[in-house]
């Protein structure tokens, strides 16, 4: 069982782009503990297995995949029941659903799909200074052949998109940057994958287009994605690097709620918040109580951070 868990854990971690250090931070354990799981020298307890399954968007049954004893089976069933209850009560933050036609395309590109999503999350983190929750990718047979939709907290945020994606298309490089992807579609050459990329062109796939759209949606609705826990995680990142910028300020002088509202407003306005130590320092010195003070703080921070 240890070996089977180790193999599946490693595969899931690598597919989703996590390092041992990063997954240790997300699970609240030491990198040494993660290393022991992957070496097959120890197994997480039941509560941790449930946390891993939630983070990796898989079932506890998949992680364990063994014939348990009567005692361990009872414990596993308890964990699975709790996971099922929580999945019904608390929807995944972000879900990307795709129709049958896109499923076929994505299966062909399956070795790259999670990497594309992970790279998008990393890119937004680098550019905007934000944390993006794990994004669930699943098929939906009720959608059209080449349709997809984006769900936020279980509710449809982007309705069925009826764009007729080909497997690949090629667009003139001078039409980029990629942020103008919608402009690229009508000017692209809609072809099957070529052995050589046409001269002066850049290759795209269905997933490239979808992930770019997903990134736009994340920024547009980040005020609905950002919560107290994500805000606290961002503060912890600053605390580890600049402890004096946080200690005695968050939450003593500036509450997590106040910081959350400021960050959400800035990000949805496309203002990077990767200078979080500066933002915390500003909020320490300037009240954001009341609409007038809040707007003044947003204006001042926007001018400084742009």
């Amino acid at each position: 069982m240890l070996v089977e868990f180790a193999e599946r854990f490693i595969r899931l971690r690598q597919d989703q782009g996590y390092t041992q250090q990063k997954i240790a931070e997300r699970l609240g354990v030491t990198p040494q503990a993660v290393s022991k799981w992957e070496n097959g020298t120890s197994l997480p307890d039941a509560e941790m297995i449930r946390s891993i399954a939630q983070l990796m968007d898989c079932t506890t049954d998949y992680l364990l995949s063994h014939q348990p004893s009567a005692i361990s089976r009872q414990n596993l069933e308890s964990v699975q029941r709790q996971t099922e209850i929580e999945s019904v009560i608390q929807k995944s933050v972000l879900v990307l659903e795709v129709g049958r036609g896109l499923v076929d395309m994505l299966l062909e590109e399956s070795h790259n799909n999670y990497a594309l999503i992970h790279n998008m999350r990393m890119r937004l983190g680098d550019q905007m200074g934000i944390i993006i929750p794990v994004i669930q990718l699943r098929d939906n047979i009720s959608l059209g052949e080449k349709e997809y939709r984006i769900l936020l907290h279980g509710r449809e945020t982007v309705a069925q998109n009826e764009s007729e994606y080909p497997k690949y298309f090629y667009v003139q490089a001078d039409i980029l940057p990629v942020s103008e992807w919608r402009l690229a579609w009508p000017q692209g050459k809609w072809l099957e994958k070529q052995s050589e990329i046409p001269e002066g062109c850049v290759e795209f796939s269905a997933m490239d287009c979808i992930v770019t759209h997903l990134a736009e949606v994340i920024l547009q609705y980040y005020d609905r994605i950002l919560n107290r826990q994500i805000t606290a995680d961002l503060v912890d990142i600053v605390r580890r690097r600049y402890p004096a910028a946080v200690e005695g300020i968050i939450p003593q002088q500036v509450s997590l709620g106040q910081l959350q509202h400021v960050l959400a407003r800035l990000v949805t306005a496309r203002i990077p918040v990767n200078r979080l130590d500066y933002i915390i320092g500003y909020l320490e010195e300037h009240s954001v109580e009341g609409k007038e003070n809040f707007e003044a703080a947003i204006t001042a921070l926007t001018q400084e951070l742009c």
Side-chain angles (χ1 to χ4, degrees), residues 2 15 27 48 115 138 168 215 221 240 278 284 298-299:
L2 287 172
D15 285 348
L27 293 171
M48 183 56 65
R138 68 189 183 205
Y168 291 90
Y221 292 100
R240 289 194 293 271
Y278 174 84
E284 177 192 14
I298 294 297
T299 299

Side-chain angles (χ1 to χ4, degrees), residues 19 87 109 119 199 201 214 224 239 265 268 292 295-296:
T19 62
S87 67
E109 306 165 11
N119 290 340
E199 185 177 353
C201 291
L214 183 57
R224 292 169 54 186
R239 181 183 285 111
R265 175 68 176 276
T268 53
E292 186 175 336
E295 294 299 334

Side-chain angles (χ1 to χ4, degrees), residues 258-271:
Q258 290 173 323
L259 181 59
Q260 176 185 335
H261 291 317
V262 169
L263 296 181
R265 175 68 176 276
L266 291 170
V267 172
T268 53
R270 304 297 196 271
I271 307 300

Side-chain angles (χ1 to χ4, degrees), residues 24-92:
E25 292 175 1
R26 296 295 298 271
L27 293 171
V29 299
T30 64
Q32 289 78 11
V34 176
S35 178
K36 288 181 179 179
W37 298 342
E38 296 192 355
N39 290 335
T41 56
S42 70
L43 188 70
D45 60 27
E47 181 67 22
M48 183 56 65
I49 288 173
R50 185 164 62 85
S51 297
I52 293 170
Q54 291 175 332
L55 177 63
M56 299 295 200
D57 192 27
C58 67
T59 64
T60 53
D61 192 37
Y62 173 81
L63 283 170
L64 296 173
S65 185
H66 67 299
Q67 297 298 322
S69 65
I71 296 177
S72 62
R73 182 183 298 111
Q74 182 178 5
N75 187 37
L76 174 59
E77 289 174 353
S78 176
V79 170
Q80 290 174 328
R81 283 196 297 270
Q82 182 64 23
T83 301
E84 290 173 0
I85 291 170
E86 291 186 1
S87 67
V88 172
I89 295 174
Q90 182 113 24
K91 302 293 185 182
S92 297

